[in-house]
Amino acid sequence: MTSLEFTNQVQKISYSLKPVAMNLTRDADDAKDLVQETLLKALLNKDKFKAGTNLKAWLYTIMRNTFINNYNKITKRNSNIDSTEYFQYFNTDENYITHNGATSDFVVTDINQAIASLSADYRTPFMMYYIGYKYLEIAEKLQIPIGTVKNRIHIARKELKDALKVYAPGV
């Protein structure tokens, strides 16, 4: 299937996505945003679509996953559980506000230096995971077992945590 054929089929199906998005979001503006994001992801990942499969179902799956990911981001951002006796909910955004721009520059510099100090075997899978690749995609691209990918990402996180422990709250 050529890019033009794919784009035309996606455009034809796109009109049926809005009612589903409306059902998920319950808000007209959010539904439009969800449809737009779904179409963008579909067009960017057209190489992952297998010709002969159900394009409409593929688009619905992208939409549903996008909605779930956005929902999880919002709920994780808005509240955290404090493990005190009464389990109070609080917003931690204020804990990380930097009032001095130079401080944030130092932090970013330290983070970049810590990442650069990782060996390439750990840095590459970690950065691929950080920018959004799934474990399986990383394993395929680097041609290593998925268990090795998970282990290297785990080790990279551990080394970064140790290198950046001065920024850990409450330590």
Side-chain angles (χ1 to χ4, degrees):
M1 175 182 310
T2 67
S3 291
L4 185 59
E5 291 171 341
F6 180 82
T7 305
N8 286 338
Q9 287 185 4
V10 168
Q11 186 177 8
K12 288 177 189 174
I13 296 172
S14 67
Y15 298 107
S16 66
L17 296 176
K18 178 123 190 220
V20 176
M22 191 65 183
N23 190 25
L24 289 170
T25 62
R26 308 261 192 250
D27 181 73
D29 291 333
D30 289 342
K32 288 178 186 176
D33 291 343
L34 182 59
V35 170
Q36 185 176 11
E37 192 171 350
T38 301
L39 295 175
L40 177 65
K41 285 182 179 182
L43 293 173
L44 290 174
N45 294 299
K46 65 184 167 212
D47 57 316
K48 294 180 183 175
F49 176 73
K50 293 180 175 84
T53 58
N54 188 344
L55 180 61
K56 193 173 192 178
W58 188 67
L59 290 171
Y60 285 157
T61 301
I62 292 172
M63 179 183 289
R64 185 189 74 238
N65 291 343
T66 302
F67 173 75
I68 291 169
N69 290 341
N70 289 342
Y71 178 80
N72 287 338
K73 283 179 191 174
I74 290 169
T75 56
K76 283 181 183 177
R77 186 182 318 136
N78 288 340
S79 65
N80 288 323
I81 298 177
D82 182 11
S83 59
T84 61
E85 184 176 308
Y86 299 107
F87 289 105
Q88 299 172 347
Y89 291 90
F90 64 98
N91 190 341
T92 60
D93 289 345
E94 293 175 6
N95 295 337
Y96 298 104
I97 292 176
T98 303
H99 298 287
N100 180 350
T103 304
S104 64
D105 289 344
F106 284 124
V107 173
V108 170
T109 301
D110 287 349
I111 291 170
N112 288 333
Q113 287 175 349
I115 291 171
S117 72
L118 293 172
S119 73
D121 287 343
Y122 299 123
R123 183 177 53 247
T124 303
F126 174 79
M127 289 308 295
M128 290 176 75
Y129 182 77
Y130 176 75
I131 61 174
Y133 284 93
K134 305 290 184 223
Y135 290 128
L136 188 58
E137 294 172 328
I138 297 168
E140 289 172 356
K141 288 202 184 276
L142 299 179
Q143 297 178 344
I144 57 177
I146 193 167
T148 304
V149 169
K150 290 179 181 181
N151 186 39
R152 288 180 181 178
I153 292 171
H154 171 75
I155 291 170
R157 284 180 177 164
K158 190 174 173 184
E159 287 183 13
L160 290 172
K161 184 178 177 182
D162 288 342
L164 299 169
K165 64 184 167 192
V166 296
Y167 297 108
V171 175

